[in-house]
Amino acid sequence: MPTIDYPRLAKTLQALTGNETDTVALMATVTCEVHHADTRFDWTGFYRVVAPELLKIGPYQGGHGCLVIPFAKGVCGAAARSGQTQIVADVEAFPGHIACAASTRSELVVPVHNSDGGLLGVFDIDSDQPDAFTAEDARALEHILAKIFADCPAPTI
Ligand code: SME
């Protein structure tokens, strides 16, 4: 663990996304590539900032996700309001965790900013395995996301 070849994933994503700046097109492509890159990932997707302090579901893979998450709630909300990546080894020990799937045991949520620091949303990976995510996963995904979403416009809210 981890089993992902992140430099290779970054290269693949760069080749697939090129100069694309449409946020949803990029989110869909990142979700697909990351989800299928590792068997630890049981739900992979984005929540988008759509209103002040409010996230709404974006492109994802896995079972259905909750549609709306206020910044005040859950691991996704914590990432959005703090601007800090959240690694949760045991979701049951996280106060306010939103259980979209009862099978989820651990999570990694990375805030997604453009190059101006505008918050576009969060990238959420859930695993049915406990303690599935490492600091290396977090750093590598932060790096990949920062590059891919650098030129996306901030949400107009
Ligand atoms: N795990 C998230 C909720 C979203 S889903 O699990 C798809 C959270 O607590 O923020």
Side-chain angles (χ1 to χ4, degrees), residues 43 47 65-66 69 73-77 97-98 100 107 124 126:
W43 192 96
Y47 280 90
C66 312
I69 299 181
K73 291 210 174 140
V75 185
C76 291
H97 167 252
I98 302 164
C100 289
E107 296 197 13
D124 178 10
D126 299 346

Side-chain angles (χ1 to χ4, degrees), residues 14-117:
Q14 179 57 40
L16 286 170
T17 57
N19 296 322
E20 182 61 65
T21 58
D22 180 274
T23 307
V24 171
L26 292 171
M27 287 179 171
T29 307
V30 169
T31 296
C32 177
E33 289 303 312
V34 172
H35 188 71
H36 293 101
D38 198 309
T39 54
R40 288 177 294 158
F41 304 164
D42 294 295
W43 192 96
T44 308
F46 287 86
Y47 280 90
R48 301 164 298 122
V49 176
V50 294
E53 310 279 302
L54 196 69
L55 297 165
K56 208 165 261 196
I57 193 85
Y60 67 94
Q61 303 223 353
H64 72 84
C66 312
L67 271 66
V68 179
I69 299 181
F71 277 28
K73 291 210 174 140
V75 185
C76 291
R81 68 177 183 268
S82 68
Q84 303 289 318
T85 295
Q86 308 288 311
I87 298 176
V88 178
D90 174 5
V91 294
E92 276 165 29
F94 188 94
H97 167 252
I98 302 164
C100 289
S103 55
T104 299
R105 298 266 67 89
S106 59
E107 296 197 13
L108 169 65
V109 183
V110 182
V112 182
H113 297 96
N114 63 16
S115 57
D116 296 328

